[in-house]
Amino acid sequence: MKEAYDYSDTLIKTLTNEKKVIDVSKKFIQQEDGAAKIRFSLELLKEKNLLPSAGDIFHPKNDAASLEARNRGNQFFIKDKDYVAALECYNKSICLATSESENLAIGYANRSAIYLNAGFYKLCLENIELAMKNNYPEKLKPKLEQRRKECLELLNNNEDSLEKFAKEIPEKVQLSYPANEKMPILIEGLEYVTSEEFGRHIRAKQDLYPGDIIIVEKCFSKCLQNGSEYKRCANCLEPNYLNLIPCGKCTRAMFCSEKCQKEANSRFHRFECPILDGIFTLFNKITVIAIRTALFSLTMFDDPRELEALISEINVETESAFDLNYSNLTEQQHFRAIYALATNESARSVADLFQRSNLCAITWFLFRNHTNLSEILTTKCLEDLFLNMLFRFGQAAAVNYHTLAAMAKSDDVLAGSFSPKQIGSGSFALCSLLNHSCAPNVVRVGDGDKNIVIVNRVIKRGTQIFDNYGAHHCLEDLAERQKILKDQYIFTCSCEACQNNYPLFSEFPIPTKFFLEMGNDEERIVRYDKEFAKKKFQDYKKLLIEYNDKYPCFEVCASQEHFLACVRVLIGDVPLELQLKPLKN
């Protein structure tokens, strides 16, 4: 299936062959705003017959596909004993099953077997009930009744795994210093600064040290990415031990509860539902989170004209998260800071803006022709409101929004190891103010729908707080980093690593004893040895302070990676693979 970029690239190639690029570019750039640009793009795409078909946009429930997913789940369950992979397949089977078929009931019954074997007795009973209520085959009911009886006996004599793992929930992450009175999501020792060289940024008002937690921020909007739809709730993004209920209409959305399902429908899913297959398969994560943020913003008010009035009040040049009172933060106030995030539109080329406009045009085509969004966008002015948000958020998302991740079984060769896996994206008003450095002094760790910012180098008072946008001197050389940052973030990096051409990690001299000790540490940390990670976290904090003045060097850069591994183990929830597994006999 084609992606949205393919349609856009084909349009550009067609215009090039027709020798119309210059003429179209001039007309495009003369369009007065994002909405006009999107409408201009849509007319071109329609003229060249470059829009997705109905079959690409919505896939109906499909019992054959449901059965195929269930059979694959059976293999993971019976042969591989991989309960997480099996539950994901069963969830897909449940989501694909038609409401009248046995597939839905059998999917619930199969889930109940996994929960029984993993000691989640209450979830087992819940899924048995769901199976019985959804046309479970009469000939199989005796077996399911026997499972219910066995489960009740085990529940009476054993601790339920739900209760066991509830005791292992990590303590709430706390800031390392007194919180800012107005903004309790960050420490008092940070300040908001603007300058001609760095634009908006955050600076330390006090000395900070490795291990200090300086920001804990919850996102404004969030969404799952393709590949996570059968593992997490489409609304809150929580896994709920993969005990999810399906949308009755589409095949891509599942929810942890009826409450979440109702909330999702009120805010975004009633619009996304008819085109969710198209959203997941046509667009990358940047466009998907832009769509979600626009819908989430649009439904803040009963009347979208109130949103229009709110936007007219926002000064995008000056407003930021530091204008908000997080002690009494409303959704509408939070939106102001999200809306004001930089887009870098003035620095973008015509080609870049045209491609983004094409993606928005395809998005608008989906919503206008295949959803009921017109029920609230009742005038052209309101349509333009939505289109302008799409165009703005699509640019802002590319340079500001952040990936959300969770610890999961690693694909590395080291058996039993765990690493962060992307689950979705979120918009963050405060963390988006952190500028980039190829030699950052903080790390940003996603924990569900939050960003936690932790110092990983000594930061002296008056020093800017630097995040990393994905180009690090340890991993990419100077030319490669410059290209990555210029292509996606539209700036030429002049950080300390770029000015001094810091070496790659592979070019550092390696102290043999130090290296061997670290190798042993890494193996235990990535296998989720929590007590060991707690001890080594303190050790690496000391090392990072001790060797700080020698940066860049093997000792600091290697310690930063192991320090980060410890942080992920200590802050995040226990990986599902360590919870959903066969009970020991």
Side-chain angles (χ1 to χ4, degrees), residues 230-460:
Y230 305 119
K231 293 188 283 190
R232 290 179 174 263
C233 174
N235 184 56
C236 69
L237 275 55
E238 290 297 317
N240 197 37
Y241 302 104
L242 279 77
N243 187 45
L244 305 172
I245 55 177
C247 171
K249 296 178 180 178
C250 73
T251 61
R252 292 272 189 168
M254 301 192 80
F255 306 95
C256 65
S257 65
E258 290 182 0
K259 178 184 176 183
C260 258
Q261 186 171 17
K262 184 177 180 181
E263 184 177 308
N265 280 327
S266 71
R267 299 306 303 270
F268 57 86
H269 187 64
R270 73 183 191 269
F271 305 121
E272 290 182 353
C273 184
I275 59 172
L276 200 52
D277 288 300
I279 289 174
F280 269 120
T281 54
L282 285 166
F283 303 117
N284 63 15
K285 63 181 182 181
I286 293 172
T287 305
V288 174
I289 184 60
I291 292 170
R292 178 63 58 81
T293 306
L295 290 175
F296 202 72
S297 303
L298 197 62
T299 54
M300 282 192 303
F301 299 99
D302 292 333
D303 186 341
R305 284 174 293 189
E306 294 181 66
L307 175 62
E308 191 174 31
L310 175 62
I311 289 175
S312 69
E313 299 173 0
I314 301 172
N315 186 331
V316 296
E317 301 298 326
T318 61
E319 290 196 39
S320 76
F322 279 81
D323 295 311
L324 307 178
N325 185 344
Y326 279 80
S327 296
N328 188 28
L329 185 66
T330 67
E331 190 176 38
Q332 290 76 21
Q333 290 168 340
H334 200 174
F335 168 83
R336 296 180 73 108
I338 293 295
Y339 189 84
L341 288 174
T343 63
N344 293 352
E345 183 169 345
S346 61
R348 296 184 184 278
S349 66
V350 175
D352 178 275
L353 291 172
F354 185 60
Q355 184 182 64
R356 294 180 188 281
S357 177
N358 292 339
L359 299 185
C360 290
I362 294 170
T363 303
W364 178 230
F365 169 77
L366 300 187
F367 278 106
R368 191 183 69 178
N369 291 278
H370 299 279
T371 78
N372 60 353
L373 190 59
S374 59
E375 290 180 3
I376 59 174
L377 302 181
T378 54
T379 66
K380 183 179 180 297
C381 286
L382 292 179
E383 287 182 356
D384 286 351
L385 169 69
F386 179 70
L387 294 179
N388 280 319
M389 283 199 300
L390 264 185
F391 196 61
R392 181 175 186 84
F393 292 151
Q395 295 174 75
V399 295
N400 287 298
Y401 295 4
H402 295 142
T403 294
L404 301 174
M407 295 296 285
K409 184 172 66 174
S410 177
D411 297 327
D412 295 340
V413 293
L414 184 60
S417 63
F418 296 87
S419 59
K421 297 290 182 69
Q422 294 186 13
I423 62 165
S425 304
S427 58
F428 294 87
L430 177 60
C431 285
S432 294
L433 298 177
L434 296 175
N435 279 333
H436 164 84
S437 170
C438 300
N441 49 26
V442 298
V443 289
R444 183 172 33 79
V445 181
D447 177 30
D449 61 355
K450 295 191 292 295
N451 260 334
I452 300 167
V453 179
I454 305 174
V455 176
N456 71 344
R457 289 174 63 189
V458 174
I459 300 174
K460 294 296 185 182

